[in-house]
Amino acid sequence: MASPKIILYTNHNCPWAHRAHIALAELNLPFEEEIIDLSVPRTPEYLKINPRGLVPSISYNGEIITESAIVSQFLADAHPSHLLPVSNAEGGALRRARINFFVDTFFTKAFPLFIKSFSAPEEEVEGLGTQFAEIASKELEPLLSDAKPFFGGSDKLTLAEVLTGSFVIRVLTLPEKGVLPKSYVASLPEKAPNFYKWAQVVSAHPSVNGIYDVDTIAENTKNRIAKLRAQSK
């Protein structure tokens, strides 16, 4: 079967676009890459591809697909693999449901605290890191009890890691760069050992860290935080 012609419209600093990179790397799909500058207004040419102006977008054999979760899900469905079983496989529908629940839990319970840290007053950020660890312990820890080392006992990345990995790596590395308080990770080994071990393995995986330039991400995030805090005054 011939490989599809894929053009990925992306920005390496965007964690949402990063999801598509992880999926493509795991599926070993060749693609062309077009970098979209997110610091300036989108070009008319790109707005024809994605009127929302967001990344990622992909052209898949000429069909345009947008929104990071939809792009990643589409790639996993179009190319059945270790990432995601087909729904009619034995246990497939249940596994897909469990992956969806884990991803939903991450983004509705833990992720909001991470985002809030960017705009919260400095004196509140330390506490947000502590709350993140508590939420990880309560909500995510039980869902990773069988990680070996990836979600659901898998020895390879799954769609759960594709959709969360680009954010997990930021949670672990930005405190090391002084962008976020160390409270984000300091108590994880004790309070959420399953989550912490899983997050470390995910962050070390080549498909996850392949495009991740921690120094550039840290600098960009510092600038974003400074701008958001200045706007809130």
Side-chain angles (χ1 to χ4, degrees), residues 169-192:
I169 195 171
R170 285 163 169 79
V171 169
L172 290 195
T173 59
L174 291 182
E176 296 174 359
K177 294 293 181 177
V179 180
L180 292 175
K182 297 211 172 156
S183 58
Y184 264 94
V185 294
S187 61
L188 285 177
E190 177 184 355
K191 289 185 176 181

Side-chain angles (χ1 to χ4, degrees), residues 1 35 43 46 59 63 68 91 95 123 134 143 190 199:
M1 181 179 176
I35 302 297
T43 64
Y46 186 59
S59 172
E63 296 287 344
S68 62
R95 182 164 178 79
E123 62 271 16
E134 291 170 352
L143 303 179
E190 177 184 355

Side-chain angles (χ1 to χ4, degrees), residues 9-169:
Y9 301 89
T10 185
N11 184 291
H12 287 192
N13 296 325
C14 174
W16 303 101
H18 193 167
R19 288 168 142 184
H21 286 271
I22 299 171
L24 289 164
E26 278 301 289
L27 295 170
N28 197 29
L29 290 172
F31 63 96
E32 299 174 24
E33 182 179 75
E34 186 166 322
I35 302 297
I36 304 301
D37 188 347
L38 301 179
S39 67
V40 298
R42 308 303 176 265
T43 64
E45 290 78 13
Y46 186 59
L47 291 175
K48 288 180 181 178
I49 293 165
N50 185 347
R52 295 182 181 180
L54 303 174
V55 291
S57 302
I58 64 168
S59 172
Y60 186 95
N61 288 336
E63 296 287 344
I64 300 298
I65 303 161
T66 63
E67 299 300 317
S68 62
I70 295 171
V71 167
S72 301
Q73 179 83 53
F74 167 78
L75 291 169
D77 282 335
H79 302 273
S81 71
H82 57 279
L83 291 182
L84 192 67
V86 295
S87 59
N88 62 356
E90 183 177 356
L94 180 59
R95 182 164 178 79
R96 290 166 77 102
R98 287 178 172 163
I99 287 174
N100 286 338
F101 183 75
F102 174 78
V103 173
D104 179 78
T105 300
F106 181 88
F107 283 102
T108 59
K109 303 298 183 182
F111 183 65
L113 294 169
F114 177 71
I115 290 298
K116 189 176 180 181
S117 294
F118 292 173
S119 58
E122 289 188 56
E123 62 271 16
E124 295 180 12
V125 176
E126 188 77 29
L128 291 172
T130 301
Q131 289 179 52
F132 180 90
E134 291 170 352
I135 290 294
S137 175
K138 178 183 177 181
E139 301 286 351
L140 299 172
E141 183 73 0
L143 303 179
L144 292 167
S145 62
D146 60 348
K148 293 184 180 180
F150 302 112
F151 184 81
S154 177
D155 62 354
K156 297 179 181 179
L157 293 190
T158 73
L159 190 64
E161 286 82 22
V162 169
L163 295 178
T164 60
S166 57
F167 301 93
V168 166
I169 195 171

